[in-house]
Amino acid sequence: MSERTIDAVVFDIGGVLLDWSPTYLYADLIPDEQQRTHFLTNVATPAWNHKLDEGRPWAEAVAELTSLHPEHAEWIEAYDKGWLKMVKGVFADTAAVVTELRALGIPTYALTNFSGDKWEVAKDAFPILTGFDGEVVSGVEQAVKPGEKIYRILIDRYDLDPARTFYTDDMQYNVDGARAVGLDAELFTGAANLRAQLRSRGVAVQED
């Protein structure tokens, strides 16, 4: 194996380590697919959720949305109260990579667009999230990917050399944001490909 060219590995969370989707919660609450799609597209929208990732207080967000759509009050409240049901679980194959890196003594970090409150809920539910050497959570920092600020927080707080820090994310625009500040970033398409990307950088993880 070639000489190792990275000193740390940074993980996005949703779509990489956690299998998260509002559909997992609302499939039961709104059995009608058309009605469910309408609610998640036009009421509890991705843009509304993004504001929560930016650090907007949940109580405020729920109250405002309920005032706009009182007929959906119960479903809107469930977005908050039933949030954990949106997480199907941990991607075991990715978690295995994290565990292997830690065993090799390679520092691991989390860099995620995530509500600060729900990040704590997720850590309580999924222990793999508690072992990072550092974490940068958008809702805590009030800065989101792919904006430059959140990547800079990661680099500066943990004194990382961007060129020797590998970052994996399932969204290309977040990968592009990471590359713009000098991080060695690649698109996450699955744990097997992640292993190949790490091995190509001299990291002695097992082949899939």
Side-chain angles (χ1 to χ4, degrees):
M1 181 167 288
S2 59
E3 182 180 351
R4 180 152 60 86
T5 60
I6 57 173
D7 299 323
V9 180
V10 183
F11 288 83
D12 175 39
I13 301 301
V16 175
L17 255 178
L18 292 187
D19 184 3
W20 177 90
S21 171
T23 302
Y24 294 142
L25 168 65
Y26 286 98
D28 290 332
L29 292 178
I30 314 175
D32 182 271
E33 183 178 358
Q34 187 173 356
Q35 194 176 27
R36 181 171 66 249
T37 299
H38 179 271
F39 176 76
L40 293 173
T41 303
N42 299 290
V43 181
T45 65
W48 181 74
N49 183 78
H50 192 68
K51 290 292 185 183
L52 293 163
D53 286 347
E54 288 179 336
R56 188 181 189 193
W58 278 81
E60 175 189 296
V62 168
E64 181 185 71
L65 197 61
T66 300
S67 72
L68 294 172
H69 303 278
E71 72 280 13
H72 296 321
E74 184 178 345
W75 295 345
I76 295 167
E77 183 181 26
Y79 205 101
D80 179 13
K81 304 301 184 186
W83 180 88
L84 194 55
K85 293 181 180 178
M86 295 185 195
V87 185
K88 195 177 220 179
V90 173
F91 289 118
D93 51 359
T94 310
V97 178
V98 175
T99 301
E100 199 169 335
L101 288 169
R102 291 171 180 172
L104 290 169
I106 296 174
T108 60
Y109 299 88
L111 176 63
T112 181
N113 283 355
F114 218 109
S115 154
D117 291 342
K118 301 312 182 193
W119 177 245
E120 295 305 319
V121 172
K123 287 200 294 184
D124 285 344
F126 307 107
I128 190 73
L129 303 179
T130 65
F132 289 110
D133 292 272
E135 58 186 45
V136 176
V137 179
S138 65
V140 176
E141 308 300 338
Q142 299 191 339
V144 293
K145 298 178 292 183
E148 179 179 347
K149 180 180 178 180
I150 194 167
Y151 301 102
R152 293 290 182 195
I153 291 171
L154 171 80
I155 292 164
D156 294 344
R157 179 174 296 164
Y158 300 109
D159 195 25
L160 300 175
D161 177 351
R164 294 188 62 87
T165 301
F166 181 84
Y167 176 60
T168 183
D169 194 297
D170 64 321
M171 296 296 178
Q172 185 62 50
Y173 50 80
N174 291 336
V175 172
D176 294 341
R179 288 174 176 169
V181 300
L183 291 165
D184 180 2
E186 295 282 2
L187 184 67
F188 178 84
T189 59
N193 193 43
L194 174 59
R195 286 181 178 277
Q197 292 165 346
L198 291 169
R199 286 178 63 82
S200 75
R201 290 159 172 82
V203 180
V205 292
Q206 296 179 2
E207 293 186 61
D208 185 63

